[in-house]
Amino acid sequence: MQWSDDRVERLKRLWAEGLSASQIAAQLGGVSRNAVIGKVHRLNLPGRAKAGGSSSAARPAKRPAQTQRPTTFQNRPATNTTTRTVARAAGATMLKEEVEVEAYEEVEVRRSLNVVVPISRRLVLTELTERTCKWPIGDPMKDDFHFCGCEISDSAPYCTYHAKLAYQPVSERRKAAR
DNA sequence: CCCTGATTCGC
DNA sequence: GCGAATCAGG
């Protein structure tokens, strides 16, 4: 399996979104999490600040936490998404620090809220739109088969909860799925 | 044990 | 360049 430009781009995007190496490997397919981590390093992508260990050899001092909240905004309450969207629509220029804060919050939200199970709207296939989660629920051969259908902000295929499931290895989904 | 990322080194 | 093996740590 080679690292085509397309696969590298997807790797970069998913890594930036905060998915773990194993989740990325599962989504790309055909590669192990070690392969993903190895590629991340060869691409010189920023590492993960928190988790992870080190080798037996003494490692030089690690770089400062990449996902650390920018100091300028440390005491500022998090703005909600609606506020930011409105501000942007009004033509306001986002400060560099605001971009950093937003990126930080994106990752934190994904990590902290992913465990919240969305309320299924029980939509059928023809009711799905660009803004509904398309995670299937139930048996396609039975009458009550439906899709999650909860509202999603962008045109992603799944809500954040089901996206997390989708990115996990199949063997891991059963544990979290309900 | 489960998981995480980091590193090494034979290929 | 690639990634399995191995490591330290949550």
Side-chain angles (χ1 to χ4, degrees):
Chain A
M1 182 67 69
Q2 57 161 345
W3 283 103
S4 63
D5 290 347
D6 177 64
R7 289 170 65 81
V8 170
E9 285 309 307
R10 286 203 285 157
L11 166 63
K12 286 180 180 177
R13 178 168 52 82
L14 295 171
W15 185 257
E17 286 175 2
L19 295 184
S20 71
S22 62
Q23 288 174 332
I24 295 172
Q27 204 194 17
L28 291 178
V31 287
S32 67
R33 74 177 194 91
N34 278 324
V36 169
I37 291 171
K39 188 60 178 174
V40 164
H41 281 254
R42 287 190 296 277
L43 287 171
N44 287 317
L45 296 180
R48 294 287 160 75
K50 265 229 166 115
S54 54
S55 69
S56 54
R59 275 193 301 126
K62 288 311 303 164
R63 75 163 69 79
Q66 184 73 26
T67 57
Q68 200 167 34
R69 193 178 181 84
T71 53
T72 320
F73 289 82
Q74 239 156 31
N75 297 321
R76 196 194 69 171
T79 50
N80 65 43
T81 306
T82 305
T83 303
R84 286 200 300 263
T85 304
V86 169
R88 222 173 310 164
T93 306
M94 279 182 70
L95 299 173
K96 181 186 175 189
E97 288 81 1
E98 288 180 316
V99 175
E100 290 179 29
V101 168
E102 183 156 312
Y104 167 86
E105 288 173 356
E106 287 289 336
V107 173
E108 291 305 302
V109 165
R110 276 175 181 270
R111 292 199 153 154
S112 61
L113 300 185
N114 267 354
V115 294
V116 176
V117 180
I119 299 173
S120 168
R121 294 174 61 208
R122 305 183 66 87
L123 300 184
V124 297
L125 180 62
T126 53
E127 293 173 322
L128 297 179
T129 72
E130 292 274 318
R131 292 180 172 274
T132 56
C133 175
K134 298 159 188 68
W135 186 265
I137 297 175
D139 185 343
M141 300 301 288
K142 293 184 177 177
D143 287 339
D144 66 345
F145 176 69
H146 59 278
F147 294 84
C148 171
C150 72
E151 293 284 348
I152 51 182
S153 55
D154 52 26
S155 59
Y158 309 117
C159 60
T160 54
Y161 173 74
H162 286 126
K164 185 183 180 187
L165 288 184
Y167 297 150
Q168 284 179 331
V170 174
S171 60
E172 297 297 317
R173 290 180 192 167
R174 200 173 299 276
K175 298 178 184 175
R178 307 195 327 150

